[in-house]
Amino acid sequence: EPGRRWGVPRLRFDLALGVALAFVLVGAWGVVSNERLSEREQVLRAIASADAIHRVEGSAGAGWLMVRGDAAMFLTEQLQEPPAGRLYELWLIDRSGRPIPAGAIERPADVTIVAVQGSVRDAAMFAVTIEPSVLELPTGPRVLAAQLRPEGS
């Protein structure tokens, strides 16, 4: 189509992918244990095969949600420790605003990688809250979030 700017969306995706890859490589550079090498390999595979990468940001830090089909992995570096006796709970929020539990992080590491539970196919948002335990509905503050679909779509 004449006049359509095909390069702009691709450039944003390539830039996001490059930033995510650099983040993972820098974060995992000095890793020596087999477990950590396995995590690094897992992340590199997720980045290479991702259909979309969403920046997740908030008061507790930042990271990326890497989506492939209806599955996703959440990666974050230097996520702040939750308050004593609390954990981070992951949520997929559908188009109607209904939160669906999607995993938890009890003790974040320098680089934390979590397979998101459930399908992201119908999710409009990904969010992380601070909770006293794994719950069916969020009660604590939202400390990280990413819009997965434009509002109203």
Side-chain angles (χ1 to χ4, degrees), residues 43-87:
V43 170
L44 291 174
R45 284 184 184 158
I47 291 170
S49 65
D51 297 329
I53 298 174
H54 301 277
R55 180 76 171 153
V56 181
E57 298 178 297
S59 61
W64 288 270
L65 184 71
M66 295 166 284
V67 177
R68 180 174 184 209
D70 64 350
M73 290 186 73
F74 176 54
L75 176 137
T76 185
E77 181 182 44
Q78 297 179 349
L79 183 64
Q80 296 174 10
E81 276 292 320
R86 304 282 178 161
L87 53 77

Side-chain angles (χ1 to χ4, degrees), residues 11 26 28 64 76 86 91 105 115 118 136 149:
L11 177 63
V26 168
W64 288 270
T76 185
R86 304 282 178 161
W91 304 92
I105 301 170
E136 289 300 311
R149 299 200 177 16

Side-chain angles (χ1 to χ4, degrees), residues 5-70:
R5 299 177 62 191
W6 289 99
V8 174
R10 180 65 192 180
L11 177 63
R12 280 194 295 225
F13 179 77
D14 289 347
L15 181 60
L17 181 60
V19 168
L21 182 57
F23 172 67
V24 171
L25 293 177
V26 168
W29 184 258
V31 176
V32 287
S33 75
N34 286 339
E35 178 181 318
R36 291 292 227 161
L37 289 175
S38 174
E39 284 180 357
R40 179 174 170 233
E41 185 176 305
Q42 191 178 22
V43 170
L44 291 174
R45 284 184 184 158
I47 291 170
S49 65
D51 297 329
I53 298 174
H54 301 277
R55 180 76 171 153
V56 181
E57 298 178 297
S59 61
W64 288 270
L65 184 71
M66 295 166 284
V67 177
R68 180 174 184 209
D70 64 350

